[in-house]
Amino acid sequence: MDAQVGIIGCGPIGALLGNLLGRRGISTIVVEKQPKPFGLPRAIHFDGEAMRVFQAAGLAEQVLPSTMVGRGMLFKDSADNVLIDWSREQSIGPMGWYESYRVHQPGLEKALVDGLSRFDDVQLKRGNAVTGMSQDQDKVTLQLEGGETHTCEYIVGCDGATSMLRDAMGVGVDDLGYKERWLVVDLMLKAPREDLGDYSIQFCDEENPATYVRGIGDRRRWEMRLKPSEPDVVSDEVVWEKLSRWIEPHEADLERSAVYTFRSCVAQDWRKGRCLIAGDAAHQMPPFMGQGMCAGIRDVANLAWKLDAVLKGNDRQLLDTYGEEREKNVRQFIELTVRLGKLINQTAAGNAPTGTMKSIWPSLGDGFGRRDGVGGELAPQVRTPDGQLADDYAENRFYLLAKDPENYRSASTLPVIKGHWDKLDEIGFNAALIRPDGYAAGGVNSTGDLIGLCTDATTFGLLDLEPSL
Ligand SMILES: Cc1cc2nc3c(=O)[nH]c(=O)nc-3n(C[C@H](O)[C@H](O)[C@H](O)COP(=O)(O)OP(=O)(O)OC[C@H]3O[C@@H](n4cnc5c(N)ncnc54)[C@H](O)[C@@H]3O)c2cc1C
């Protein structure tokens, strides 16, 4: 074998997966067709759960300089009335990080790509496209442009919306009903424009829906829906004309403008044998909630520990829980995004819902662990008494989050961390087994329950996954 895992594509999701696997000591080859990183931003927001995954990759400190804390989003009608207020907390939230971050994507991607060089066993091959693959019982072979081949135990297609691997796996996508062309414009302010504010604003308007996003530093973005009659190539002159409601050419430099077709879809299958897909290769959504890349980040957090367990000899069926769990979770983000998209596109003044909105934290679909009201839910990341973040303390392995840790400490070598989680009281448990991706595997009330959960079929005999247990 050339590597245990092959990753196709070194966008944010492929690069992050390379780091998560590298940290687990898994030999990995990442193949990227572009000779250089894509220098322009697309994603401009990620959430606290994504930051928790960057922490798991050992890169939180490296990512932070390319971010600022997000203020939130306002939905306004054409008369400038606030319809929906989606403000974000300005203090550290349940993930152990802020609820929302603004980000400069090239800075984030640089941190992720540079991070790969920490691992002797992770190789990045740039400027070489994967053109095909073949798999049998024991291995999968990547074919690269120019005839080079690499043999791996598993491959993961992080190769974006037009995924070569998804096609090679013969997997179709379910279209979830949104398809529109939007013009995306990134500007650098030449002088402060405090009046634009720190909130992102969705200008809900049947005729000219648009989005304003406050980027980090002097960066500002506008996104404007194009009419069917408008061309795909928009001249700078027309861009400024469209922006004239908010900003004039003397106030900012145009960094880039591009037309994107925003879609909503999800792959019908996420695994075929030794091949898996993640990120935009597995799902796409319009950017109205800033969740497309976040969903890919959740994918690889879910997949990395399962690949590790299977490579160590555990049941390969564990990999089937990846798509089952992730699909249900991502569909909820896509459905809410599409609903918000309709609001932005169809709202006439005085004819829309009003109120406040809260971030959603959808559960995982059925898969690893029990679904007992706690299992499958995203657990908070508490701090240990000496101030360490729980996932760091547990070294990104399973741990027990317990209201009263002394009841459990003697029974196992599993890390036990004292902490509060509303869900435990709500459902009637006093502790939860937390997986390496931050989701709970199930709730327990005694050491007997814990042993039952760890040996349960739904946890694939966790005792084997975690020899330290
Ligand atoms: C305008 C816009 C705004 C957005 N805003 C947000 C936001 O605020 N927050 C958010 O979370 N998401 C946002 N998104 C979505 C986000 O950008 C994507 O979800 C994310 O970039 C997907 O990452 P990826 O690594 O899966 O795919 P990509 O970024 O597309 O990377 C795929 C990589 O694979 C490589 N590749 C493809 N085929 C091959 C091959 N055959 N061989 C080798 N390499 C190959 C490509 O060159 C590329 O580098 C936005 C998207 C757009 C368009």
Side-chain angles (χ1 to χ4, degrees), residues 8-14 31-34 42-46 105 128-131 158-161 164 184 221 223 256 260 262 278-281 287 290-294:
I8 310 174
C10 194
I13 305 310
V31 185
E32 165 57 52
K33 69 178 173 190
Q34 299 298 340
R42 283 167 298 154
I44 204 161
H45 161 270
F46 64 74
Q105 188 175 347
N128 217 328
V130 176
T131 53
C158 301
D159 48 350
M164 184 285 306
V184 177
R221 173 178 289 178
E223 299 171 358
R256 67 94 178 239
Y260 286 93
F262 295 157
D280 276 18
Q291 278 294 336
M293 178 181 72
C294 295

Side-chain angles (χ1 to χ4, degrees), residues 204-220:
C204 306
D205 182 340
E206 274 171 309
E207 279 301 303
N208 292 304
T211 307
Y212 158 77
V213 191
R214 196 245 197 261
I216 70 166
D218 295 330
R219 294 177 188 281
R220 300 291 182 273

Side-chain angles (χ1 to χ4, degrees), residues 383-390 393 417:
R383 284 189 184 265
T384 61
D386 64 357
Q388 209 179 357
L389 283 164
Y393 176 81
I417 299 173

Side-chain angles (χ1 to χ4, degrees), residues 53-65:
V53 183
F54 297 137
Q55 174 200 339
L59 292 173
E61 292 308 316
Q62 289 79 345
V63 167
L64 278 174

